[in-house]
C-alpha cells in the first residue's frame, strides 16, 4: 500500500523579499518622520529661547537706557530720569511672574534692592546713590551664584536646562543630568564654570562702584552698560571655549 505524501508548500522567496522590503521602508519612513519632528521641536525651542533673550535685552537694557537719555534730553532732572528708567523693569518682572505662573525669588530680590536704593537716594538727594542700585543687584546675583556651589545643583547645572532641552529635548536633558551622578569630571567642570560666573558678577559690582564715584552721573548709565556688555561677551566666550574643550556640549 502506497504511503500518501502530504504536499509541502514551498515559500515564495519573492514574496518574502517584498514583505521585508516593505517593512524596512515603513520603519525607515517612521524613523525619518520622528527625526523630522524632533528637529522641528528643537528649532521651535531654539527660536523661543532667542525670543526670550531678545525680550530681556529690550526690557532690561535698551528701554531703561533709552528712556534715561530721552528724559534727560527733554530736560528732566538726573534723579527723576534714573527713577523712571528703573521703573520700566517693574512691568517686565510682573509679566515674567504671570507667564511662568510662579514668583521668581531672584527677580523680586533685585526689585527690592532697586526700591531700597531709590529710598536711600530720596533721603540723601544724591543720584549717585541711586546709581549704586545696579552694583547691589550684580553683587547679590554673584553671591547667589557662588552660594549654589554649596548645593547639589550649582548655577550652571540649573541655568543650562533650557538650552539643553532646546537642543536635545527632555530625554537628552535626563541623560545630560545623569552625568552629574556618574562623572566626577563633569561635576568639577560645572562647579568651575559656576565659580567663574559668580566671580565675574562680583567684579562687575566692584567696577560699577568705582565708576559711580569717578565719572559723571550722566555718563554712568551708558558706560556701565558698555562695561557689562564687554564683560558678558568675554564671559560667554570663555564659557563656550571651556564647554567645548572639556566635552560638555550636548
Amino acid at each position: 500500500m502506497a504511503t500518501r505524501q502530504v504536499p509541502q508548500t514551498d515559500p515564495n522567496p519573492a514574496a518574502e523579499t517584498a514583505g521585508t522590503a516593505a517593512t524596512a521602508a515603513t520603519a525607515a519612513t517612521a524613523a525619518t518622520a520622528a527625526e523630522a519632528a524632533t528637529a522641528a521641536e528643537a528649532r521651535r525651542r531654539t527660536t523661543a529661547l532667542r525670543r526670550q533673550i531678545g525680550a530681556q535685552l529690550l526690557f532690561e537694557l535698551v528701554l531703561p537706557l533709552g528712556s534715561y537719555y530721552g528724559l534727560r534730553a527733554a530736560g528732566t532732572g538726573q534723579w527723576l530720569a534714573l527713577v523712571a528708567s528703573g521703573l520700566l523693569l517693574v512691568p517686565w518682572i510682573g509679566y515674567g511672574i504671570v507667564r511662568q505662573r510662579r514668583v521668581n525669588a531672584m527677580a523680586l530680590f533685585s526689585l527690592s534692592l532697586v526700591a531700597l536704593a531709590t529710598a536711600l537716594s530720596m533721603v540723601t538727594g544724591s543720584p549717585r546713590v541711586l546709581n549704586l542700585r545696579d552694583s547691589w543687584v550684580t553683587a547679590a546675583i554673584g553671591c547667589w551664584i557662588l552660594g549654589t556651589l554649596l548645593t547639589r545643583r550649582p548655577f550652571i547645572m540649573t541655568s543650562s536646562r533650557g538650552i539643553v532641552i532646546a537642543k536635545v529635548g527632555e530625554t537628552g536633558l535626563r541623560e545630560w543630568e545623569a552625568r552629574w551622578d556618574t562623572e566626577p569630571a563633569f561635576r568639577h567642570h560645572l562647579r568651575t564654570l559656576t565659580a567663574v560666573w559668580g566671580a565675574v558678577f562680583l567684579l562687575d559690582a566692584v567696577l560699577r562702584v568705582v565708576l559711580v564715584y569717578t565719572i559723571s552721573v550722566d555718563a554712568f548709565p551708558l558706560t556701565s552698560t558698555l562695561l557689562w556688555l564687554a564683560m558678558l561677551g568675554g564671559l560667554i566666550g570663555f564659557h563656550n571655549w571651556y564647554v567645548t574643550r572639556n566635552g560638555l556640549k550636548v
Side-chain angles (χ1 to χ4, degrees), residues 93 97 100 102-113 140-141 144:
I93 293 175
I97 293 175
Q100 298 177 4
R102 63 182 178 87
V103 177
N104 188 315
M106 179 53 65
L108 290 182
F109 181 65
S110 300
L111 187 60
S112 66
L113 289 179
I141 294 175
W144 170 71

Side-chain angles (χ1 to χ4, degrees), residues 1-227:
M1 181 176 177
T3 303
R4 295 184 61 183
Q5 300 291 329
V6 179
Q8 301 291 326
T9 302
D10 293 334
N12 189 331
E16 282 193 355
T17 302
T20 302
T23 302
T26 302
T29 302
T32 302
E35 290 177 359
T38 302
E41 180 65 14
R43 287 194 298 270
R44 185 191 67 78
R45 289 170 177 161
T46 301
T47 300
L49 183 62
R50 289 174 178 173
R51 287 176 179 174
Q52 181 181 354
I53 294 174
Q56 286 181 313
L57 290 175
L58 175 64
F59 287 99
E60 297 180 11
L61 187 66
V62 177
L63 287 183
L65 190 63
S67 64
Y68 174 78
Y69 287 109
L71 289 171
R72 290 292 290 143
T76 306
Q78 292 175 335
W79 186 88
L80 184 57
L82 287 171
V83 171
S85 63
L87 289 177
L88 289 176
L89 289 175
V90 177
W92 172 245
I93 293 175
Y95 167 75
I97 293 175
V98 172
R99 182 174 60 86
Q100 298 177 4
R101 297 182 180 179
R102 63 182 178 87
V103 177
N104 188 315
M106 179 53 65
L108 290 182
F109 181 65
S110 300
L111 187 60
S112 66
L113 289 179
V114 171
L116 178 61
T118 303
L120 288 176
S121 69
M122 292 177 66
V123 174
T124 63
S126 171
R128 291 187 184 274
V129 174
L130 194 55
N131 276 334
L132 286 174
R133 63 189 178 185
D134 293 335
S135 300
W136 294 357
V137 171
T138 54
I141 294 175
C143 290
W144 170 71
I145 291 175
L146 293 177
T148 65
L149 290 171
L150 304 176
T151 67
R152 179 173 170 78
R153 293 289 187 265
F155 166 74
I156 292 298
M157 184 75 176
T158 56
S159 64
S160 299
R161 287 174 56 88
I163 298 175
V164 175
I165 292 175
K167 289 185 175 182
V168 295
E170 295 287 349
T171 302
L173 173 65
R174 288 191 291 271
E175 295 175 356
W176 185 77
E177 289 183 328
R179 297 178 62 185
W180 177 268
D181 298 318
T182 59
E183 300 180 26
F186 184 76
R187 296 194 294 270
H188 168 75
H189 293 318
L190 292 190
R191 286 194 175 108
T192 298
L193 285 174
T194 297
V196 171
W197 276 80
V200 169
F201 271 87
L202 289 180
L203 176 61
D204 175 76
V206 172
L207 293 178
R208 284 175 187 266
V209 172
V210 174
L211 288 176
V212 165
Y213 292 105
T214 55
I215 64 177
S216 68
V217 173
D218 284 331
F220 177 81
L222 179 59
T223 304
S224 63
T225 298
L226 293 177
L227 170 68

